[in-house]
Amino acid sequence: MSVVIGYVSDYFSIIMTDTRITYGKNAEMGWNDNFEKLVSLPNMGWATGVGVFDFIHHFNRELAKIKSASVRMMEELFEKTFEQEIDKNESMKNHYDSTVITCSWVGSEENRNKFRVGLLNKQYFGNRIFELGNNYITLLYPYDFLNDLSKVENIEKRFSMYTEFVGNFGELLKYLLQIFAEISSNSFGVSRICDIGIQVYLDNHLYKFQLKEDVRPLMQAAKDGTLLNKLSVVN
């Protein structure tokens, strides 16, 4: 079980997730908060997902081996990975169908670079990538939220899912952290540890940053105006 928050603009992309893996449908067999669910992709951005961890991990591991992945290559890899997982355990097909993989990269559009965040999900998109629109916050909720839609309604009533970036990156991160904190405090399947992967152009150079920490001190740093000091460059 996981939560994933995605956001993309003309200037950067963000993928945010947690670190908890649960054992059993309702975590009745326990959980582990030390999993690296956010993967840095060479020559791309970041990848993570919600659903069957082995499926997500298999796809991300193979995607990380590709030196220069196109959208079509990602779609073909998703289809291949899906079929391999079904062959191993056909009784899990419904769970594989509902699994969502999220990844970020930089593509080109009209002779300029464009930040992209996309979703791969067999149930709704087949083998095609669904790309997020600019300035929209996309939430992939944990299972217990989807099982109690009043929790989803509460989040989407209190937080606008359209937030245009107006130049203050720290304030946008603070807003996304507030959403993460609300979900993690109300879901047994989501850890307090928030793992954030960012792609951004600075001085005409493409950078990747990561920030991983308990959401409570991150929220305090956001209030203090020191949140951006915590970002680490990823090569």
Side-chain angles (χ1 to χ4, degrees):
M1 204 179 300
S2 302
V3 62
V4 174
I5 301 175
Y7 183 91
V8 63
S9 76
D10 286 336
Y11 312 103
F12 54 83
S13 65
I14 300 171
I15 294 179
M16 180 183 294
T17 190
D18 73 303
T19 60
R20 178 169 294 176
I21 294 291
T22 56
Y23 303 105
K25 184 177 180 180
N26 296 305
E28 62 271 12
M29 298 171 63
W31 62 82
N32 185 330
D33 280 352
N34 296 309
F35 267 82
E36 297 281 346
K37 294 196 286 190
L38 185 67
V39 177
S40 176
L41 301 171
N43 303 308
M44 290 181 61
W46 302 88
T48 188
V50 298
V52 182
F53 177 75
D54 288 345
F55 176 21
I56 298 167
H57 180 67
H58 182 184
F59 174 85
N60 290 344
R61 185 179 64 241
E62 294 303 312
L63 182 58
K65 295 177 183 178
I66 300 175
K67 292 184 177 180
S68 181
S70 65
V71 169
R72 185 59 194 150
M73 289 171 69
M74 286 188 279
E75 292 172 339
E76 289 174 351
L77 177 60
F78 177 76
E79 182 177 9
K80 178 182 176 182
T81 307
F82 182 88
E83 294 302 328
Q84 289 174 340
E85 293 298 320
I86 291 294
D87 286 344
K88 289 190 294 185
N89 193 347
E90 191 170 352
S91 65
M92 290 281 289
K93 184 178 184 303
N94 289 341
H95 297 284
Y96 295 136
D97 281 343
S98 61
T99 294
V100 186
I101 295 171
T102 307
C103 49
S104 63
W105 70 99
V106 176
S108 60
E109 183 177 286
E110 298 177 351
N111 297 318
R112 67 183 182 89
N113 290 322
K114 179 177 173 59
F115 290 99
R116 301 180 187 274
V117 176
L119 306 178
L120 287 156
N121 171 258
K122 191 72 172 180
Q123 183 176 357
Y124 292 105
F125 312 129
N127 296 317
R128 297 301 181 94
I129 287 181
F130 174 81
E131 293 189 22
L132 308 190
N134 276 15
N135 305 313
Y136 284 96
I137 299 170
T138 298
L139 297 176
L140 303 180
Y141 290 98
Y143 173 79
D144 50 353
F145 267 63
L146 297 178
N147 210 32
D148 181 2
L149 292 180
S150 65
K151 291 183 177 182
V152 174
E153 292 168 1
N154 181 52
I155 290 290
E156 298 188 359
K157 181 184 295 183
R158 295 175 53 223
F159 295 95
S160 172
M161 294 297 107
Y162 182 86
T163 302
E164 190 168 353
F165 176 67
V166 292
N168 192 325
F169 189 63
E171 281 298 311
L172 175 64
L173 278 180
K174 179 181 176 182
Y175 192 70
L176 298 180
L177 285 169
Q178 289 173 337
I179 298 173
F180 180 94
E182 286 283 335
I183 294 174
S184 65
S185 64
N186 289 287
S187 172
F188 62 79
V190 178
S191 71
R192 301 291 302 185
I193 300 170
C194 184
D195 201 357
I196 307 170
I198 299 164
Q199 270 195 306
V200 60
Y201 271 109
L202 296 174
D203 299 324
N204 295 318
H205 293 284
L206 182 63
Y207 288 89
K208 290 171 70 174
F209 292 98
Q210 186 171 20
L211 176 55
K212 181 182 179 183
E213 195 173 327
D214 187 296
V215 70
R216 289 164 290 191
L218 290 181
M219 291 286 291
Q220 186 59 52
K223 292 177 182 177
D224 296 341
T226 60
L227 182 62
L228 299 185
N229 297 338
K230 292 176 170 287
L231 294 175
S232 298
V233 177
V234 176
N235 294 322

PDB file of all heavy atoms in Angstrom, residues 173-185:
ATOM      1  N   LEU A 173       6.004  23.024  -2.449  1.00  0.00           N
ATOM      2  CA  LEU A 173       6.377  21.812  -1.719  1.00  0.00           C
ATOM      3  C   LEU A 173       5.656  21.733  -0.377  1.00  0.00           C
ATOM      4  O   LEU A 173       5.218  20.659   0.041  1.00  0.00           O
ATOM      5  CB  LEU A 173       7.888  21.768  -1.498  1.00  0.00           C
ATOM      6  CG  LEU A 173       8.761  21.262  -2.643  1.00  0.00           C
ATOM      7  CD1 LEU A 173      10.222  21.290  -2.237  1.00  0.00           C
ATOM      8  CD2 LEU A 173       8.365  19.862  -3.075  1.00  0.00           C
ATOM      9  N   LYS A 174       5.532  22.862   0.280  1.00  0.00           N
ATOM     10  CA  LYS A 174       4.818  22.905   1.566  1.00  0.00           C
ATOM     11  C   LYS A 174       3.378  22.442   1.387  1.00  0.00           C
ATOM     12  O   LYS A 174       2.849  21.678   2.208  1.00  0.00           O
ATOM     13  CB  LYS A 174       4.861  24.329   2.125  1.00  0.00           C
ATOM     14  CG  LYS A 174       4.125  24.514   3.444  1.00  0.00           C
ATOM     15  CD  LYS A 174       4.212  25.977   3.890  1.00  0.00           C
ATOM     16  CE  LYS A 174       3.410  26.222   5.163  1.00  0.00           C
ATOM     17  NZ  LYS A 174       3.460  27.651   5.562  1.00  0.00           N
ATOM     18  N   TYR A 175       2.730  22.896   0.329  1.00  0.00           N
ATOM     19  CA  TYR A 175       1.339  22.520   0.056  1.00  0.00           C
ATOM     20  C   TYR A 175       1.220  21.008  -0.176  1.00  0.00           C
ATOM     21  O   TYR A 175       0.323  20.347   0.366  1.00  0.00           O
ATOM     22  CB  TYR A 175       0.847  23.295  -1.160  1.00  0.00           C
ATOM     23  CG  TYR A 175      -0.640  23.215  -1.389  1.00  0.00           C
ATOM     24  CD1 TYR A 175      -1.528  23.852  -0.530  1.00  0.00           C
ATOM     25  CD2 TYR A 175      -1.159  22.515  -2.474  1.00  0.00           C
ATOM     26  CE1 TYR A 175      -2.897  23.801  -0.744  1.00  0.00           C
ATOM     27  CE2 TYR A 175      -2.520  22.456  -2.697  1.00  0.00           C
ATOM     28  CZ  TYR A 175      -3.382  23.099  -1.832  1.00  0.00           C
ATOM     29  OH  TYR A 175      -4.743  23.037  -2.042  1.00  0.00           O
ATOM     30  N   LEU A 176       2.149  20.462  -0.979  1.00  0.00           N
ATOM     31  CA  LEU A 176       2.132  19.020  -1.249  1.00  0.00           C
ATOM     32  C   LEU A 176       2.425  18.220   0.019  1.00  0.00           C
ATOM     33  O   LEU A 176       1.834  17.158   0.239  1.00  0.00           O
ATOM     34  CB  LEU A 176       3.150  18.675  -2.333  1.00  0.00           C
ATOM     35  CG  LEU A 176       2.926  19.314  -3.710  1.00  0.00           C
ATOM     36  CD1 LEU A 176       4.013  18.880  -4.684  1.00  0.00           C
ATOM     37  CD2 LEU A 176       1.554  18.983  -4.272  1.00  0.00           C
ATOM     38  N   LEU A 177       3.308  18.723   0.856  1.00  0.00           N
ATOM     39  CA  LEU A 177       3.611  18.055   2.122  1.00  0.00           C
ATOM     40  C   LEU A 177       2.399  18.043   3.057  1.00  0.00           C
ATOM     41  O   LEU A 177       2.185  17.085   3.802  1.00  0.00           O
ATOM     42  CB  LEU A 177       4.790  18.735   2.815  1.00  0.00           C
ATOM     43  CG  LEU A 177       6.175  18.446   2.229  1.00  0.00           C
ATOM     44  CD1 LEU A 177       7.210  19.381   2.837  1.00  0.00           C
ATOM     45  CD2 LEU A 177       6.572  16.993   2.459  1.00  0.00           C
ATOM     46  N   GLN A 178       1.606  19.104   3.025  1.00  0.00           N
ATOM     47  CA  GLN A 178       0.391  19.144   3.836  1.00  0.00           C
ATOM     48  C   GLN A 178      -0.567  18.033   3.426  1.00  0.00           C
ATOM     49  O   GLN A 178      -1.177  17.371   4.279  1.00  0.00           O
ATOM     50  CB  GLN A 178      -0.293  20.510   3.702  1.00  0.00           C
ATOM     51  CG  GLN A 178       0.449  21.632   4.382  1.00  0.00           C
ATOM     52  CD  GLN A 178      -0.162  22.997   4.076  1.00  0.00           C
ATOM     53  OE1 GLN A 178      -0.839  23.168   3.056  1.00  0.00           O
ATOM     54  NE2 GLN A 178       0.077  23.969   4.934  1.00  0.00           N
ATOM     55  N   ILE A 179      -0.693  17.805   2.119  1.00  0.00           N
ATOM     56  CA  ILE A 179      -1.548  16.724   1.623  1.00  0.00           C
ATOM     57  C   ILE A 179      -0.984  15.372   2.057  1.00  0.00           C
ATOM     58  O   ILE A 179      -1.712  14.503   2.547  1.00  0.00           O
ATOM     59  CB  ILE A 179      -1.668  16.792   0.088  1.00  0.00           C
ATOM     60  CG1 ILE A 179      -2.338  18.107  -0.342  1.00  0.00           C
ATOM     61  CG2 ILE A 179      -2.464  15.599  -0.438  1.00  0.00           C
ATOM     62  CD1 ILE A 179      -2.351  18.332  -1.842  1.00  0.00           C
ATOM     63  N   PHE A 180       0.326  15.203   1.891  1.00  0.00           N
ATOM     64  CA  PHE A 180       0.967  13.948   2.291  1.00  0.00           C
ATOM     65  C   PHE A 180       0.750  13.689   3.781  1.00  0.00           C
ATOM     66  O   PHE A 180       0.423  12.561   4.188  1.00  0.00           O
ATOM     67  CB  PHE A 180       2.464  14.000   1.981  1.00  0.00           C
ATOM     68  CG  PHE A 180       3.201  12.740   2.367  1.00  0.00           C
ATOM     69  CD1 PHE A 180       3.400  11.737   1.431  1.00  0.00           C
ATOM     70  CD2 PHE A 180       3.688  12.558   3.653  1.00  0.00           C
ATOM     71  CE1 PHE A 180       4.063  10.565   1.786  1.00  0.00           C
ATOM     72  CE2 PHE A 180       4.348  11.395   4.012  1.00  0.00           C
ATOM     73  CZ  PHE A 180       4.543  10.402   3.075  1.00  0.00           C
ATOM     74  N   ALA A 181       0.922  14.711   4.598  1.00  0.00           N
ATOM     75  CA  ALA A 181       0.777  14.555   6.049  1.00  0.00           C
ATOM     76  C   ALA A 181      -0.637  14.132   6.421  1.00  0.00           C
ATOM     77  O   ALA A 181      -0.835  13.292   7.309  1.00  0.00           O
ATOM     78  CB  ALA A 181       1.151  15.865   6.753  1.00  0.00           C
ATOM     79  N   GLU A 182      -1.627  14.713   5.754  1.00  0.00           N
ATOM     80  CA  GLU A 182      -3.019  14.362   6.023  1.00  0.00           C
ATOM     81  C   GLU A 182      -3.286  12.890   5.701  1.00  0.00           C
ATOM     82  O   GLU A 182      -3.937  12.178   6.469  1.00  0.00           O
ATOM     83  CB  GLU A 182      -3.950  15.248   5.200  1.00  0.00           C
ATOM     84  CG  GLU A 182      -4.065  16.669   5.692  1.00  0.00           C
ATOM     85  CD  GLU A 182      -4.953  16.782   6.925  1.00  0.00           C
ATOM     86  OE1 GLU A 182      -5.831  15.916   7.111  1.00  0.00           O
ATOM     87  OE2 GLU A 182      -4.752  17.727   7.707  1.00  0.00           O
ATOM     88  N   ILE A 183      -2.777  12.448   4.560  1.00  0.00           N
ATOM     89  CA  ILE A 183      -3.019  11.066   4.151  1.00  0.00           C
ATOM     90  C   ILE A 183      -2.257  10.098   5.044  1.00  0.00           C
ATOM     91  O   ILE A 183      -2.806   9.087   5.505  1.00  0.00           O
ATOM     92  CB  ILE A 183      -2.641  10.866   2.671  1.00  0.00           C
ATOM     93  CG1 ILE A 183      -3.584  11.692   1.774  1.00  0.00           C
ATOM     94  CG2 ILE A 183      -2.702   9.390   2.281  1.00  0.00           C
ATOM     95  CD1 ILE A 183      -3.208  11.690   0.310  1.00  0.00           C
ATOM     96  N   SER A 184      -0.999  10.387   5.321  1.00  0.00           N
ATOM     97  CA  SER A 184      -0.192   9.458   6.115  1.00  0.00           C
ATOM     98  C   SER A 184      -0.712   9.330   7.541  1.00  0.00           C
ATOM     99  O   SER A 184      -0.610   8.259   8.142  1.00  0.00           O
ATOM    100  CB  SER A 184       1.276   9.888   6.135  1.00  0.00           C
ATOM    101  OG  SER A 184       1.452  11.116   6.803  1.00  0.00           O
ATOM    102  N   SER A 185      -1.306  10.387   8.080  1.00  0.00           N
ATOM    103  CA  SER A 185      -1.822  10.322   9.447  1.00  0.00           C
ATOM    104  C   SER A 185      -3.162   9.595   9.527  1.00  0.00           C
ATOM    105  O   SER A 185      -3.625   9.266  10.618  1.00  0.00           O
ATOM    106  CB  SER A 185      -1.965  11.729  10.034  1.00  0.00           C
ATOM    107  OG  SER A 185      -2.918  12.487   9.316  1.00  0.00           O
TER     108      SER A 185
END
